Amino acid sequence: MTFSIIYVALCLLFMLIALMRECLRPGLILFTAVVLLLVAGIINTEEALKGFSNKGMITVALLYLVSEGVRKSGILERIVFRMLPQKNATITSAGFRFYPIVTFISAFFNNTPVVVIFAPMIKNWARKMKLPPTKFLIPLSYATVIGGICTLIGTTTNLVLHGMLLQEANDEAVAVEEGGAPGILMKYGIDGMSMFELTKVGIFIAIAGLIYLIFFSRYFLPDERRSEEEAAEQDLAPGMTRHEVVLGNRFPGLGKTLHEFDFYRHYGAHVRAISRGGRILEGDFMNMRLTHEDTLIIDADDSFMKAWGEVFWMINRVGDYEPPMGKKKRWFALILLILMIIGATVGELEPVKQYLAQSEFVQAHMPGLKLDMFFFVCITVIIMAWTRMFSPRKYTKFFSWDVLITIACAFAISTAMTKSGFADFIAGYIISLTDIVKGTDYGIYIILAALFLITNIFTELITNNAAAALAFPLALSVSEKLGADPMPFIVCICFAASSAFSTPIGYQTNLIVQGIGGYRFADFVKVGLPMNIIVFTLSVLLIPIIYNM
């Protein structure tokens, strides 16, 4: 074992411990790991920075703006509200009508905005129907996750891995130009993932997951805990309304107490209680330090809603939500989203690529034209900005900068794992597991199972994007050692990195519903573990069949 392998292993161990202990925000922790690798000469400056200009990372950033435009239109709320039964509703019948449409929407829309939009609506609707909201909110988060794994743009994790494939393919092409041998991606003609590459397996996972959520999850979910309402029983002052807000990463008071951070001076609101981990904090909550897992129960006037997009993941307010856009603009936002998806899908078809490559006009006048997801996302963002579908003067507020920095740093860490030999070292151990069943046809299933479990454990303990970054070089190394198509292994870690069901910290949508639903850690374990088993089993069994491994 070389010094480089040991050093990279220690850096990764430090990163994992820091992420689990939440010493800093994930972006800063990963950036610290990148600096440590840079200082030791494992990676150079160019390799440390290449993630910040990666097409996949920039696509994620632009999709935040698309999501904001569609969210602000209110069209999704109207679609889902029509699907909810308005009388004689049961938990099963409501789930049957609601979860499939949420899963479909989240296949083409970032998971977090979907949960942010629908969680308050579902909670208010459930109470009107005299049903416990706790039976719906965790399944809402899970429904968005299984929808997100079905397409390229369904979750940032898929786009991160797509960006890594693009970067690796580009590096291989440069190496060949300099006289090197073709790499594993060039050998199999892989330069990223198509829009529906993941759908081949994801559709079966989504169907099985929906069956579980609709018919069985209710038995593992708690009845409603009304501690939030009991903790905020004070009468409202005239002109004030009661809100539940989940603190976002941009909230400036993180790490401070309410005595140190004057909430009223900043937002004109009074904090009545703090909920953390599904429980109302007892005692002097004014002297307790705020974290990004907290839900605040506050009294505020209508002007408080203006702060929504800046620092809070979600606001739940009594009363129906009124979309801010007119009817024409709402439908125009939906049409733009549909055209973006269709354009990116058609642009990735092989006949279209061949036409662009062979067209004399295109090659003479537009040689750099490539009709991919990045191309159509850019066009959609510009149209939305000029038509004021999101505030063009405040567009930077809609980015989740920590997520973007995490993604950018992930590319450098992945490069370090490959260059140092650490990825090959671990891949060798994974492949050696097949010796247990030597002479049988089960070897590939064991390799996929090991790769899935490693990625999934990382996802449950740290962030999904960081888990994908760690698993990507392992997947490439395994495929290269086997001399096999790397795409099935990439698909496997896509599903594993997104399957954060058993803990609230693995996926930020879980944290959001934990706050508003008053769930405890154990609730996620009970209802989430069967979901993990479903995704694991179907991934390991179906990937070899569908990809003829």
Side-chain angles (χ1 to χ4, degrees):
M1 189 181 297
T2 65
F3 167 78
S4 295
I5 293 177
I6 295 173
Y7 187 85
V8 169
L10 291 174
C11 287
L12 294 177
L13 181 62
F14 157 77
M15 185 184 76
L16 290 172
I17 293 173
L19 286 168
M20 287 187 287
R21 292 174 63 89
E22 297 184 345
C23 299
L24 297 172
R25 295 297 304 143
L28 274 175
I29 293 174
L30 265 71
F31 185 66
T32 303
V34 170
V35 172
L36 291 173
L37 295 168
L38 184 66
V39 168
I42 305 294
I43 56 176
N44 57 38
T45 304
E46 182 181 349
E47 290 166 337
L49 296 176
K50 68 180 180 181
F52 289 90
S53 61
N54 182 269
K55 186 188 291 186
M57 193 277 286
I58 302 299
T59 302
V60 171
L62 294 176
L63 280 172
Y64 278 116
L65 298 181
V66 175
S67 296
E68 176 61 18
V70 177
R71 184 202 67 79
K72 193 175 178 182
S73 73
I75 188 67
L76 297 182
E77 291 97 318
R78 286 178 171 259
I79 292 173
V80 171
F81 186 76
R82 292 178 184 274
M83 298 297 297
L84 291 171
Q86 299 304 312
K87 59 180 181 179
N88 300 325
T90 65
I91 295 173
T92 301
S93 66
F96 187 79
R97 296 180 62 173
F98 174 63
Y99 299 146
I101 188 66
V102 170
T103 299
F104 178 80
I105 290 172
S106 66
F108 305 102
F109 202 71
N110 188 270
N111 296 349
T112 302
V114 171
V115 174
V116 166
I117 290 169
F118 295 143
M121 177 192 301
I122 293 301
K123 185 170 184 177
N124 290 333
W125 169 85
R127 286 184 173 160
K128 289 178 182 177
M129 296 294 104
K130 301 189 183 306
L131 296 173
T134 47
K135 298 293 186 182
F136 298 97
L137 294 174
I138 283 182
L140 166 65
S141 177
Y142 292 175
T144 64
V145 173
I146 60 176
I149 64 176
C150 289
T151 68
L152 175 61
I153 63 172
T155 176
T156 58
T157 307
N158 299 345
L159 284 165
V160 168
L161 291 168
H162 172 64
M164 288 182 166
L165 282 173
L166 293 176
Q167 187 68 54
E168 188 69 24
N170 181 67
D171 292 345
E172 288 185 6
V174 171
V176 169
E177 289 180 2
E178 295 175 351
I184 190 72
L185 296 184
M186 186 170 286
K187 178 181 177 182
Y188 286 92
I190 297 173
D191 60 351
M193 289 187 287
S194 64
M195 174 67 79
F196 296 106
E197 179 68 43
L198 297 167
T199 312
K200 300 173 185 176
V201 180
I203 187 67
F204 297 103
I205 294 174
I207 292 171
L210 284 172
I211 291 173
Y212 167 72
L213 292 177
I214 293 169
F215 297 105
F216 302 103
S217 66
R218 58 177 297 184
Y219 300 109
F220 302 100
L221 290 162
D223 291 324
E224 184 174 13
R225 300 181 178 115
R226 307 191 65 88
S227 56
E228 292 161 312
E229 288 79 5
E230 294 167 2
E233 289 179 343
Q234 299 99 325
D235 292 333
L236 287 168
M240 305 291 275
T241 54
R242 186 146 294 154
H243 306 257
E244 291 172 278
V245 299
V246 178
L247 301 182
N249 297 333
R250 293 175 63 90
F251 178 63
L254 292 178
K256 299 179 181 178
T257 69
L258 288 172
H259 279 310
E260 296 169 341
F261 181 82
D262 192 336
F263 201 91
Y264 181 79
R265 183 174 64 83
H266 282 81
Y267 303 112
H270 297 279
V271 178
R272 297 301 186 191
I274 301 176
S275 174
R276 182 178 299 166
R279 300 174 185 269
I280 291 292
L281 298 182
E282 298 179 355
D284 184 11
F285 66 84
M286 295 294 290
N287 283 313
M288 296 179 181
R289 299 197 178 277
L290 299 172
T291 75
H292 69 282
E293 300 178 25
D294 291 343
T295 298
L296 304 186
I297 301 170
I298 64 172
D299 290 348
D301 59 23
D302 289 338
S303 65
F304 179 77
M305 296 297 286
K306 296 177 181 178
W308 187 92
E310 298 180 26
V311 295
F312 303 107
W313 278 124
M314 179 182 56
I315 294 174
N316 179 38
R317 181 176 63 174
V318 177
D320 295 328
Y321 173 76
E322 292 295 331
M325 289 186 184
K327 183 177 181 181
K328 290 182 180 180
K329 227 174 203 183
R330 289 201 301 271
W331 287 105
F332 185 53
L334 183 62
I335 290 170
L336 281 176
L337 181 64
I338 293 172
L339 290 177
M340 181 188 80
I341 295 166
I342 294 174
T345 304
V346 173
E348 292 291 339
L349 296 177
E350 198 58 36
V352 176
K353 291 182 179 179
Q354 291 179 1
Y355 171 77
L356 293 177
Q358 297 170 4
S359 171
E360 294 182 3
F361 178 83
V362 172
Q363 294 304 314
H365 302 285
M366 297 180 290
L369 181 65
K370 187 174 183 181
L371 303 180
D372 57 5
M373 171 56 66
F374 180 75
F375 176 85
F376 288 99
V377 168
C378 288
I379 292 175
T380 304
V381 166
I382 292 302
I383 293 174
M384 284 186 165
W386 282 93
T387 55
R388 300 294 195 275
M389 290 189 177
F390 56 81
S391 175
R393 295 183 181 277
K394 298 181 179 180
Y395 74 98
T396 57
K397 296 182 182 295
F398 307 126
F399 295 129
S400 181
W401 292 105
D402 190 72
V403 172
L404 297 178
I405 292 171
T406 299
I407 292 171
C409 292
F411 287 89
I413 294 170
S414 178
T415 299
M417 292 175 65
T418 302
K419 283 185 64 179
S420 66
F422 179 84
D424 284 341
F425 181 77
I426 300 299
Y429 275 100
I430 295 175
I431 293 173
S432 68
L433 291 173
T434 58
D435 292 340
I436 300 173
V437 287
K438 201 168 185 178
T440 71
D441 297 328
Y442 302 139
I444 193 63
Y445 295 100
I446 293 177
I447 291 173
L448 286 173
L451 193 60
F452 187 103
L453 289 173
I454 290 172
T455 309
N456 195 236
I457 290 171
F458 283 155
T459 293
E460 295 288 7
L461 297 176
I462 55 177
T463 67
N464 52 329
N465 291 321
L470 295 177
F472 176 77
L474 298 182
L476 282 189
S477 293
V478 167
S479 65
E480 196 158 13
K481 285 181 177 293
L482 293 174
D485 183 354
M487 187 56 75
F489 300 98
I490 300 299
V491 169
C492 179
I493 63 174
C494 277
F495 294 145
S498 291
S499 301
F501 302 111
S502 297
T503 70
I505 62 175
Y507 219 91
Q508 61 190 16
T509 57
N510 290 351
L511 282 175
I512 292 172
V513 297
Q514 182 189 33
I516 192 172
Y519 295 109
R520 295 165 188 166
F521 192 97
D523 296 328
F524 286 90
V525 176
K526 291 176 185 176
V527 73
L529 192 57
M531 281 292 291
N532 279 98
I533 294 172
I534 289 170
V535 179
F536 168 76
T537 304
L538 290 180
S539 296
V540 172
L541 293 179
L542 292 178
I543 288 175
I545 296 172
I546 292 174
Y547 285 92
N548 298 314
M549 299 179 73

